[in-house]
PDB file of all heavy atoms in Angstrom:
ATOM      1  N   LEU A 172      -5.821   3.587  19.915  1.00 56.00           N
ATOM      2  CA  LEU A 172      -4.400   3.874  20.105  1.00 56.00           C
ATOM      3  C   LEU A 172      -4.117   4.761  21.307  1.00 56.00           C
ATOM      4  O   LEU A 172      -2.968   4.954  21.674  1.00 56.00           O
ATOM      5  CB  LEU A 172      -3.838   4.534  18.838  1.00 56.00           C
ATOM      6  CG  LEU A 172      -4.021   3.746  17.528  1.00 56.00           C
ATOM      7  CD1 LEU A 172      -3.420   4.521  16.377  1.00 56.00           C
ATOM      8  CD2 LEU A 172      -3.373   2.382  17.642  1.00 56.00           C
ATOM      9  N   GLY A 173      -5.162   5.351  21.881  1.00 55.00           N
ATOM     10  CA  GLY A 173      -4.965   6.183  23.066  1.00 55.00           C
ATOM     11  C   GLY A 173      -4.200   7.453  22.784  1.00 55.00           C
ATOM     12  O   GLY A 173      -3.211   7.778  23.456  1.00 55.00           O
ATOM     13  N   LEU A 174      -4.618   8.202  21.779  1.00 49.00           N
ATOM     14  CA  LEU A 174      -3.939   9.455  21.479  1.00 49.00           C
ATOM     15  C   LEU A 174      -4.130  10.445  22.621  1.00 49.00           C
ATOM     16  O   LEU A 174      -5.113  10.404  23.362  1.00 49.00           O
ATOM     17  CB  LEU A 174      -4.506  10.048  20.179  1.00 49.00           C
ATOM     18  CG  LEU A 174      -4.229   9.257  18.898  1.00 49.00           C
ATOM     19  CD1 LEU A 174      -4.857   9.955  17.717  1.00 49.00           C
ATOM     20  CD2 LEU A 174      -2.738   9.092  18.673  1.00 49.00           C
ATOM     21  N   SER A 175      -3.216  11.368  22.751  1.00 57.00           N
ATOM     22  CA  SER A 175      -3.225  12.323  23.856  1.00 57.00           C
ATOM     23  C   SER A 175      -4.329  13.358  23.664  1.00 57.00           C
ATOM     24  O   SER A 175      -4.837  13.573  22.562  1.00 57.00           O
ATOM     25  CB  SER A 175      -1.883  13.036  23.946  1.00 57.00           C
ATOM     26  OG  SER A 175      -1.690  13.833  22.794  1.00 57.00           O
ATOM     27  N   ASN A 176      -4.707  14.012  24.769  1.00 62.00           N
ATOM     28  CA  ASN A 176      -5.727  15.065  24.719  1.00 62.00           C
ATOM     29  C   ASN A 176      -5.263  16.250  23.887  1.00 62.00           C
ATOM     30  O   ASN A 176      -6.070  16.953  23.281  1.00 62.00           O
ATOM     31  CB  ASN A 176      -6.054  15.543  26.146  1.00 62.00           C
ATOM     32  CG  ASN A 176      -6.788  14.484  26.949  1.00 62.00           C
ATOM     33  OD1 ASN A 176      -7.502  13.651  26.373  1.00 62.00           O
ATOM     34  ND2 ASN A 176      -6.619  14.492  28.255  1.00 62.00           N
ATOM     35  N   THR A 177      -3.961  16.472  23.840  1.00 68.00           N
ATOM     36  CA  THR A 177      -3.441  17.588  23.037  1.00 68.00           C
ATOM     37  C   THR A 177      -3.750  17.389  21.564  1.00 68.00           C
ATOM     38  O   THR A 177      -4.183  18.311  20.864  1.00 68.00           O
ATOM     39  CB  THR A 177      -1.930  17.717  23.233  1.00 68.00           C
ATOM     40  OG1 THR A 177      -1.651  17.919  24.618  1.00 68.00           O
ATOM     41  CG2 THR A 177      -1.385  18.894  22.432  1.00 68.00           C
ATOM     42  N   VAL A 178      -3.557  16.195  21.063  1.00 63.00           N
ATOM     43  CA  VAL A 178      -3.846  15.884  19.657  1.00 63.00           C
ATOM     44  C   VAL A 178      -5.333  16.048  19.381  1.00 63.00           C
ATOM     45  O   VAL A 178      -5.745  16.591  18.346  1.00 63.00           O
ATOM     46  CB  VAL A 178      -3.384  14.470  19.305  1.00 63.00           C
ATOM     47  CG1 VAL A 178      -3.781  14.116  17.871  1.00 63.00           C
ATOM     48  CG2 VAL A 178      -1.872  14.361  19.462  1.00 63.00           C
ATOM     49  N   MET A 179      -6.163  15.619  20.301  1.00 67.00           N
ATOM     50  CA  MET A 179      -7.603  15.757  20.104  1.00 67.00           C
ATOM     51  C   MET A 179      -8.020  17.215  20.039  1.00 67.00           C
ATOM     52  O   MET A 179      -8.879  17.604  19.250  1.00 67.00           O
ATOM     53  CB  MET A 179      -8.348  15.046  21.242  1.00 67.00           C
ATOM     54  CG  MET A 179      -8.401  13.539  21.074  1.00 67.00           C
ATOM     55  SD  MET A 179      -9.167  13.064  19.527  1.00 67.00           S
ATOM     56  CE  MET A 179     -10.742  13.870  19.678  1.00 67.00           C
ATOM     57  N   ARG A 180      -7.425  18.050  20.880  1.00 73.00           N
ATOM     58  CA  ARG A 180      -7.767  19.479  20.845  1.00 73.00           C
ATOM     59  C   ARG A 180      -7.380  20.096  19.506  1.00 73.00           C
ATOM     60  O   ARG A 180      -8.091  20.955  18.977  1.00 73.00           O
ATOM     61  CB  ARG A 180      -7.062  20.210  21.995  1.00 73.00           C
ATOM     62  CG  ARG A 180      -7.739  19.987  23.358  1.00 73.00           C
ATOM     63  CD  ARG A 180      -7.265  21.012  24.383  1.00 73.00           C
ATOM     64  NE  ARG A 180      -5.825  20.899  24.622  1.00 73.00           N
ATOM     65  CZ  ARG A 180      -5.304  20.125  25.577  1.00 73.00           C
ATOM     66  NH1 ARG A 180      -6.099  19.398  26.364  1.00 73.00           N
ATOM     67  NH2 ARG A 180      -3.997  20.077  25.764  1.00 73.00           N
ATOM     68  N   LEU A 181      -6.236  19.659  18.958  1.00 76.00           N
ATOM     69  CA  LEU A 181      -5.820  20.164  17.654  1.00 76.00           C
ATOM     70  C   LEU A 181      -6.808  19.754  16.567  1.00 76.00           C
ATOM     71  O   LEU A 181      -7.145  20.540  15.676  1.00 76.00           O
ATOM     72  CB  LEU A 181      -4.412  19.656  17.314  1.00 76.00           C
ATOM     73  CG  LEU A 181      -3.263  20.222  18.152  1.00 76.00           C
ATOM     74  CD1 LEU A 181      -1.956  19.539  17.782  1.00 76.00           C
ATOM     75  CD2 LEU A 181      -3.135  21.726  17.956  1.00 76.00           C
ATOM     76  N   VAL A 182      -7.286  18.514  16.635  1.00 70.00           N
ATOM     77  CA  VAL A 182      -8.253  18.031  15.635  1.00 70.00           C
ATOM     78  C   VAL A 182      -9.553  18.806  15.746  1.00 70.00           C
ATOM     79  O   VAL A 182     -10.144  19.244  14.752  1.00 70.00           O
ATOM     80  CB  VAL A 182      -8.504  16.523  15.828  1.00 70.00           C
ATOM     81  CG1 VAL A 182      -9.638  16.051  14.924  1.00 70.00           C
ATOM     82  CG2 VAL A 182      -7.232  15.743  15.535  1.00 70.00           C
ATOM     83  N   GLU A 183     -10.046  19.016  16.979  1.00 77.00           N
ATOM     84  CA  GLU A 183     -11.293  19.748  17.156  1.00 77.00           C
ATOM     85  C   GLU A 183     -11.146  21.204  16.742  1.00 77.00           C
ATOM     86  O   GLU A 183     -12.069  21.799  16.188  1.00 77.00           O
ATOM     87  CB  GLU A 183     -11.709  19.658  18.620  1.00 77.00           C
ATOM     88  CG  GLU A 183     -12.140  18.260  19.043  1.00 77.00           C
ATOM     89  CD  GLU A 183     -12.434  18.158  20.538  1.00 77.00           C
ATOM     90  OE1 GLU A 183     -12.197  19.160  21.241  1.00 77.00           O
ATOM     91  OE2 GLU A 183     -12.901  17.105  20.961  1.00 77.00           O
ATOM     92  N   ARG A 184      -9.964  21.797  16.982  1.00 80.00           N
ATOM     93  CA  ARG A 184      -9.738  23.173  16.563  1.00 80.00           C
ATOM     94  C   ARG A 184      -9.771  23.285  15.037  1.00 80.00           C
ATOM     95  O   ARG A 184     -10.327  24.230  14.483  1.00 80.00           O
ATOM     96  CB  ARG A 184      -8.383  23.654  17.077  1.00 80.00           C
ATOM     97  CG  ARG A 184      -8.081  25.129  16.744  1.00 80.00           C
ATOM     98  CD  ARG A 184      -6.697  25.510  17.253  1.00 80.00           C
ATOM     99  NE  ARG A 184      -6.582  25.291  18.696  1.00 80.00           N
ATOM    100  CZ  ARG A 184      -5.431  25.413  19.348  1.00 80.00           C
ATOM    101  NH1 ARG A 184      -4.326  25.742  18.720  1.00 80.00           N
ATOM    102  NH2 ARG A 184      -5.385  25.189  20.657  1.00 80.00           N
ATOM    103  N   ARG A 185      -9.174  22.273  14.360  1.00 78.00           N
ATOM    104  CA  ARG A 185      -9.196  22.285  12.891  1.00 78.00           C
ATOM    105  C   ARG A 185     -10.632  22.183  12.368  1.00 78.00           C
ATOM    106  O   ARG A 185     -11.025  22.900  11.445  1.00 78.00           O
ATOM    107  CB  ARG A 185      -8.373  21.100  12.369  1.00 78.00           C
ATOM    108  CG  ARG A 185      -8.489  20.892  10.852  1.00 78.00           C
ATOM    109  CD  ARG A 185      -7.899  22.027  10.080  1.00 78.00           C
ATOM    110  NE  ARG A 185      -8.101  21.861   8.648  1.00 78.00           N
ATOM    111  CZ  ARG A 185      -7.302  21.152   7.864  1.00 78.00           C
ATOM    112  NH1 ARG A 185      -6.223  20.560   8.360  1.00 78.00           N
ATOM    113  NH2 ARG A 185      -7.542  21.037   6.569  1.00 78.00           N
ATOM    114  N   ALA A 186     -11.406  21.301  12.995  1.00 77.00           N
ATOM    115  CA  ALA A 186     -12.807  21.155  12.570  1.00 77.00           C
ATOM    116  C   ALA A 186     -13.571  22.450  12.802  1.00 77.00           C
ATOM    117  O   ALA A 186     -14.390  22.862  11.980  1.00 77.00           O
ATOM    118  CB  ALA A 186     -13.461  20.011  13.331  1.00 77.00           C
ATOM    119  N   HIS A 187     -13.300  23.122  13.930  1.00 79.00           N
ATOM    120  CA  HIS A 187     -13.991  24.393  14.225  1.00 79.00           C
ATOM    121  C   HIS A 187     -13.597  25.473  13.217  1.00 79.00           C
ATOM    122  O   HIS A 187     -14.445  26.248  12.763  1.00 79.00           O
ATOM    123  CB  HIS A 187     -13.639  24.821  15.653  1.00 79.00           C
ATOM    124  CG  HIS A 187     -14.297  26.118  16.062  1.00 79.00           C
ATOM    125  ND1 HIS A 187     -15.664  26.224  16.259  1.00 79.00           N
ATOM    126  CD2 HIS A 187     -13.775  27.354  16.302  1.00 79.00           C
ATOM    127  CE1 HIS A 187     -15.955  27.465  16.595  1.00 79.00           C
ATOM    128  NE2 HIS A 187     -14.836  28.175  16.644  1.00 79.00           N
ATOM    129  N   GLN A 188     -12.295  25.521  12.885  1.00 82.00           N
ATOM    130  CA  GLN A 188     -11.850  26.522  11.911  1.00 82.00           C
ATOM    131  C   GLN A 188     -12.481  26.287  10.553  1.00 82.00           C
ATOM    132  O   GLN A 188     -12.896  27.241   9.869  1.00 82.00           O
ATOM    133  CB  GLN A 188     -10.323  26.474  11.802  1.00 82.00           C
ATOM    134  CG  GLN A 188      -9.589  26.987  13.048  1.00 82.00           C
ATOM    135  CD  GLN A 188      -8.092  26.793  12.951  1.00 82.00           C
ATOM    136  OE1 GLN A 188      -7.606  26.088  12.072  1.00 82.00           O
ATOM    137  NE2 GLN A 188      -7.353  27.407  13.856  1.00 82.00           N
ATOM    138  N   ASP A 189     -12.568  25.023  10.122  1.00 79.00           N
ATOM    139  CA  ASP A 189     -13.200  24.711   8.839  1.00 79.00           C
ATOM    140  C   ASP A 189     -14.670  25.098   8.844  1.00 79.00           C
ATOM    141  O   ASP A 189     -15.214  25.562   7.847  1.00 79.00           O
ATOM    142  CB  ASP A 189     -13.046  23.223   8.522  1.00 79.00           C
ATOM    143  CG  ASP A 189     -11.620  22.873   8.162  1.00 79.00           C
ATOM    144  OD1 ASP A 189     -10.841  23.791   7.807  1.00 79.00           O
ATOM    145  OD2 ASP A 189     -11.283  21.685   8.229  1.00 79.00           O
ATOM    146  N   LYS A 190     -15.315  24.914  10.001  1.00 80.00           N
ATOM    147  CA  LYS A 190     -16.732  25.303  10.095  1.00 80.00           C
ATOM    148  C   LYS A 190     -16.882  26.810   9.960  1.00 80.00           C
ATOM    149  O   LYS A 190     -17.785  27.309   9.300  1.00 80.00           O
ATOM    150  CB  LYS A 190     -17.294  24.820  11.428  1.00 80.00           C
ATOM    151  CG  LYS A 190     -18.786  25.124  11.592  1.00 80.00           C
ATOM    152  CD  LYS A 190     -19.305  24.559  12.903  1.00 80.00           C
ATOM    153  CE  LYS A 190     -20.800  24.863  13.054  1.00 80.00           C
ATOM    154  NZ  LYS A 190     -21.326  24.325  14.334  1.00 80.00           N
ATOM    155  N   LEU A 191     -15.969  27.579  10.611  1.00 84.00           N
ATOM    156  CA  LEU A 191     -16.018  29.032  10.503  1.00 84.00           C
ATOM    157  C   LEU A 191     -15.776  29.481   9.060  1.00 84.00           C
ATOM    158  O   LEU A 191     -16.410  30.419   8.572  1.00 84.00           O
ATOM    159  CB  LEU A 191     -14.965  29.655  11.428  1.00 84.00           C
ATOM    160  CG  LEU A 191     -15.239  29.528  12.948  1.00 84.00           C
ATOM    161  CD1 LEU A 191     -14.084  30.132  13.725  1.00 84.00           C
ATOM    162  CD2 LEU A 191     -16.551  30.201  13.331  1.00 84.00           C
ATOM    163  N   ILE A 192     -14.849  28.801   8.378  1.00 85.00           N
ATOM    164  CA  ILE A 192     -14.571  29.145   6.974  1.00 85.00           C
ATOM    165  C   ILE A 192     -15.811  28.896   6.127  1.00 85.00           C
ATOM    166  O   ILE A 192     -16.165  29.687   5.251  1.00 85.00           O
ATOM    167  CB  ILE A 192     -13.373  28.331   6.454  1.00 85.00           C
ATOM    168  CG1 ILE A 192     -12.094  28.793   7.151  1.00 85.00           C
ATOM    169  CG2 ILE A 192     -13.223  28.490   4.939  1.00 85.00           C
ATOM    170  CD1 ILE A 192     -10.871  27.953   6.823  1.00 85.00           C
ATOM    171  N   MET A 193     -16.500  27.777   6.376  1.00 82.00           N
ATOM    172  CA  MET A 193     -17.693  27.462   5.598  1.00 82.00           C
ATOM    173  C   MET A 193     -18.772  28.517   5.830  1.00 82.00           C
ATOM    174  O   MET A 193     -19.378  29.034   4.887  1.00 82.00           O
ATOM    175  CB  MET A 193     -18.221  26.078   6.007  1.00 82.00           C
ATOM    176  CG  MET A 193     -19.463  25.660   5.229  1.00 82.00           C
ATOM    177  SD  MET A 193     -20.252  24.190   5.906  1.00 82.00           S
ATOM    178  CE  MET A 193     -20.941  24.860   7.411  1.00 82.00           C
ATOM    179  N   VAL A 194     -19.002  28.874   7.105  1.00 81.00           N
ATOM    180  CA  VAL A 194     -20.024  29.884   7.423  1.00 81.00           C
ATOM    181  C   VAL A 194     -19.651  31.229   6.814  1.00 81.00           C
ATOM    182  O   VAL A 194     -20.497  31.951   6.267  1.00 81.00           O
ATOM    183  CB  VAL A 194     -20.200  30.006   8.947  1.00 81.00           C
ATOM    184  CG1 VAL A 194     -21.135  31.147   9.295  1.00 81.00           C
ATOM    185  CG2 VAL A 194     -20.740  28.699   9.522  1.00 81.00           C
ATOM    186  N   GLY A 195     -18.347  31.594   6.911  1.00 83.00           N
ATOM    187  CA  GLY A 195     -17.910  32.857   6.331  1.00 83.00           C
ATOM    188  C   GLY A 195     -18.112  32.896   4.831  1.00 83.00           C
ATOM    189  O   GLY A 195     -18.532  33.913   4.271  1.00 83.00           O
TER     190      GLY A 195
END
Side-chain angles (χ1 to χ4, degrees):
L172 304 180
L174 293 179
S175 66
N176 291 331
T177 302
V178 176
M179 282 303 303
R180 283 196 298 270
L181 291 175
V182 173
E183 291 175 354
R184 183 182 302 173
R185 172 66 184 275
H187 180 68
Q188 291 174 348
D189 288 341
K190 183 177 180 180
L191 290 177
I192 292 174
M193 181 190 71
V194 174

